[in-house]
Amino acid sequence: MSFFKLQFFYFFFIIFDVELNNKKYKIFQLEKVEDLKASGKITVSSLNYNSSSTLPTNIEFLELSASPKNFNLDIQSFIYGNSRMSLNGGLENFIGYAINGEVLKGKLTIDAPMIDANQFLSSESDSASLETNDSSEMAAVQIPENLDISFTGNVGVLKYETYDLSNCGAKITVKDGKLNIEELRAVIWGSKFAMDQTQYSYTPGSQPVLNTNIALINLNARNIINETGIIDKLAPALKDVNGLMSLNFQLNTQHRRHNMRKHLN
């Protein structure tokens, strides 16, 4: 135990000394961080949590491990209310990123037979968000170039408000100052929704760039009417339409920062 205390104390002393002398990279470039043997691991099995203030929670297996270079998380069969999922991922070079601005690498994978998003949402936070101004300016977001992050997700059924989506999938990466959506798919209203070839980037002094391709395949207006009633209210003539249609939308544009606005109904 004394060994770990000594190593962690020495590690924090290095960080303090770096900032004090304003020589972050030169001092932290030492092999000392690599030499640190300190590491830790937390393992949890068959955890059940029941409380009147939250939904029943169960974790079949959880392992959290950390070292000066890596941070890893593995959760198998996490159950919260109606939702069930497994998560696996980690971060690499977090210390170098925080101190020297080096590249932070990360990966997260989610596999979920079922996610009920309504049970994760707080009614208080929803009502608070509706109290914001009807129109407010949005500043363009710059994505750091020293991030190399990837996300992959597969969800069998996703419930959100009154919508039921199935066969959901996503593959998203952040790298070299760009957000890339390689795949975003779901089945809704009996039709297939797909978004791919999507890229966003912004460099200060220039205009944000957004390119995307969105498709809605085999859409039947009657399905939307039956599930939402939206078309029945906004475009009642479409309720007499019977048949399938597909929509494809491509967007290649540059946004002017001062014209980027969001509108809340």
Side-chain angles (χ1 to χ4, degrees), residues 13-25 27-28 30 99-100:
F13 174 78
I14 292 173
I15 296 177
F16 176 79
D17 187 60
V18 169
E19 295 185 351
L20 181 65
N21 291 283
N22 196 27
K23 296 179 181 179
K24 289 184 177 180
Y25 183 78
I27 296 181
F28 202 75
L30 43 86
I99 302 300
N100 297 326

Side-chain angles (χ1 to χ4, degrees), residues 22-73:
N22 196 27
K23 296 179 181 179
K24 289 184 177 180
Y25 183 78
K26 190 172 183 179
I27 296 181
F28 202 75
Q29 190 179 5
L30 43 86
E31 289 76 22
K32 309 261 186 198
V33 173
E34 303 292 336
D35 292 341
L36 288 175
K37 303 301 180 183
S39 62
K41 180 185 293 185
I42 298 175
T43 303
V44 177
S45 298
S46 301
L47 172 66
N48 292 283
Y49 179 76
N50 291 281
S51 171
S52 59
S53 60
T54 186
L55 294 172
T57 303
N58 174 269
I59 298 178
E60 183 177 306
F61 176 81
L62 180 151
E63 184 174 275
L64 175 65
S65 60
S67 70
K69 285 285 291 182
N70 300 315
F71 175 91
N72 296 293
L73 175 66

Side-chain angles (χ1 to χ4, degrees), residues 162-163 188-191 216 218-243 245:
T162 60
Y163 304 111
I188 182 171
W189 303 319
S191 63
L216 202 55
N218 293 333
L219 175 65
N220 191 326
R222 289 183 179 273
N223 292 339
I224 304 179
I225 295 172
N226 294 336
E227 295 190 29
T228 67
I230 294 177
I231 290 183
D232 197 20
K233 296 177 182 178
L234 302 181
L238 289 179
K239 68 182 180 180
D240 297 323
V241 175
N242 187 18
M245 56 184 173

Side-chain angles (χ1 to χ4, degrees), residues 168-224:
C168 307
K171 186 174 182 181
I172 302 171
T173 61
V174 175
K175 188 174 183 179
D176 299 329
K178 298 181 177 66
L179 169 67
N180 298 284
I181 301 178
E182 300 177 23
E183 179 188 34
L184 190 63
R185 57 175 168 77
V187 174
I188 182 171
W189 303 319
S191 63
K192 180 181 178 181
F193 168 84
M195 174 187 288
D196 57 15
Q197 303 175 22
T198 298
Q199 185 178 93
Y200 167 83
S201 63
Y202 169 66
T203 301
S206 63
Q207 297 177 357
V209 177
L210 174 64
N211 300 314
T212 187
N213 183 55
I214 301 174
L216 202 55
I217 304 170
N218 293 333
L219 175 65
N220 191 326
R222 289 183 179 273
N223 292 339
I224 304 179

Side-chain angles (χ1 to χ4, degrees), residues 139-177:
V141 177
Q142 181 185 6
I143 299 174
E145 295 187 358
N146 57 348
L147 291 181
D148 186 356
I149 309 293
S150 66
F151 168 79
T152 303
N154 291 285
V155 180
V157 177
L158 173 63
K159 291 183 175 292
Y160 176 70
E161 294 186 346
T162 60
Y163 304 111
D164 288 348
L165 293 81
S166 62
N167 193 26
C168 307
K171 186 174 182 181
I172 302 171
T173 61
V174 175
K175 188 174 183 179
D176 299 329

